Amino acid sequence: MSKSKGYAALAPKAPLAPYSFERREPREHDVVIDIKYCGVCHSDIHQTRDEWSDYQDESIFPMVPGHEIAGVVSAVGSKVTKHKVGDKVGVGCFVDSCRTCTECQRGLEQYCSVQTIWTYNGRDKEGNPTYGGYSDRIVVDENYVLHMPNNLPLDACAPLLCAGITLYSPLRQWEAGPGKKVAIVGMGGLGHMGVKLAHALGAEVTVLSQSLKKQADGKRLGADHFYATSGPETFTKLAGSFDLIINTVSAKMNWNEYLSLLKVDGTLVVVGLPEKDVPIAAFSLTAKRSRLAGSQIGGIAETQEMLDFCSKHGVACDIEVVPIQKINEAYERVLKSDVRYRFVIDMASLAKD
Ligand code: NAP
Ligand code: ZN
Ligand code: ZN
C-alpha cells in the first residue's frame, strides 16, 4: 500500500476537506497515474450529498469523488502492454468489471451484469472502497485506462471521460447525424458537450435551456437554434419537432412536456439523474409512438472511440480551472448553473495544503 492524498467528504453533505488514504501497490497489469486534472461532474455533488439513496444500496464515506481523471503514467506493472511511462491517459467512471458476462464481452462494461466497479463510491473485487480523482495519483488496471488526445490540452479533455462519453454514446446509439433534428435539454457540463458532439456528427442542434442567458455561447458551440423553456410559446412552437431529445437536467422536471416535442417515432433519452422519481403519463408516449430511453456513460471501446473522434474534430470542453481549495465554492456555483461549462481541478494545487 502507498499513501495518497486528496479531498473527501467525510460524511454525507459534509464540505470536502483534505484527506489521506492508501492506494494498492501496482499489480502486473496495473498502471500508476499521476493525476494532473480532474473534472467536476454534477454526479460528484449528488453522491457526496448522498442524494441517490433511493436508488443505491450504500454510499461509502469518507468519499473521494472524481471520475473525469486525466494524468500521466508514472509507473507500470511488469505485464502492461497498452500504456507506458510518460503517456497522457485518462480514467472515467469505472475502473473494472467482471470481464466475462455478455455485456462485458460486448464492450458494455458500464452495464456489467455482475459488477461494474465504479471509480469512487464503489468496492473493488476485494471489497475495499474505491477512491476517485480528486487526489494525487490512482492505480488502475491497464484495460480500463484510456489514451488521451495528444493534440488537445489535457485539462480541457478531462471532462470528456464522463460528460463527453455520456452524450456521445446516446448520440451514436440513436444515430444523430445529417438530416436529424436533435435537442439538448440543459446546457451544463453534459449539455454543452452534447451540443458540440451533435454538431460535429452533422445533426441540426437545438438547445432547450431555462433562459436565454447562454444563447450566444450555445451558438458558438455549434447550436443552430436556442430556446428558453421558460418562454411561454416554446413548447407550442416546437411541438413535434425532434427525432431525438437528450435530457441532461439534474433536477426533477416535467418529462411529458418534452415528449410532446418529439416527431412520431422520436426518442427522449434521459441522462440527467434527479434524486426523485418523475411521473410519466401513458398518453405522452402513445400519442406519437414515442420512445423514452435512458443511457449511462459508455464502455471502454466506445470511450476510446469518442476520444479519437474529439482528437480528429478538435473537440474539447469549455472549462474553468480551479485549485482544489475552491472545490466547495465550485459545487455551489454548479448548483446555480453558474459554470461555463465545466470546472476542472488543477491537481498541482494539492501541494499547497
Ligand atoms: P450541470 O453542469 O449542473 O448541468 C445541468 C444543467 O441542467 C444546468 O446547467 C441547467 O442548464 C439545467 N438545470 C439545472 N437545474 C435545472 C432545473 N431545476 N430545471 C431545469 N433545468 C435545470 O450537471 P452535469 O454535470 O451536466 O450533470 C447533469 C446530470 O446528469 C446530473 O444529474 C448528473 O448526475 C447526471 N449524469 C448522468 C450520467 C449518465 O451516465 N447518465 C453521467 C454523468 C452525469 P440550463 O442553465 O441550460 O438550463
Ligand atoms: Zn460524471
Ligand atoms: Zn461483466
Side-chain angles (χ1 to χ4, degrees), residues 26-27 30 32 72 94 170 187 199 204 216 238 257 278 285 316 319 321 330 340 343:
R27 301 169 186 152
D30 277 346
V32 184
V72 174
F94 57 92
M187 206 172 90
H199 176 70
E204 184 177 330
L238 298 178
E257 285 181 333
V278 178
L285 293 167
I319 59 166
V321 177
R340 301 290 186 273
F343 287 114

Side-chain angles (χ1 to χ4, degrees), residues 39-44 47 52 66-68 92-93 120 159 161-163 166 190 297 342:
V40 176
C41 179
H42 203 120
S43 302
D44 301 344
Q47 294 193 82
W52 291 340
H67 58 207
E68 294 182 338
C93 297
Y120 69 87
L161 294 155
C162 175
T166 299
L190 267 55
I297 45 172
R342 196 60 140 186

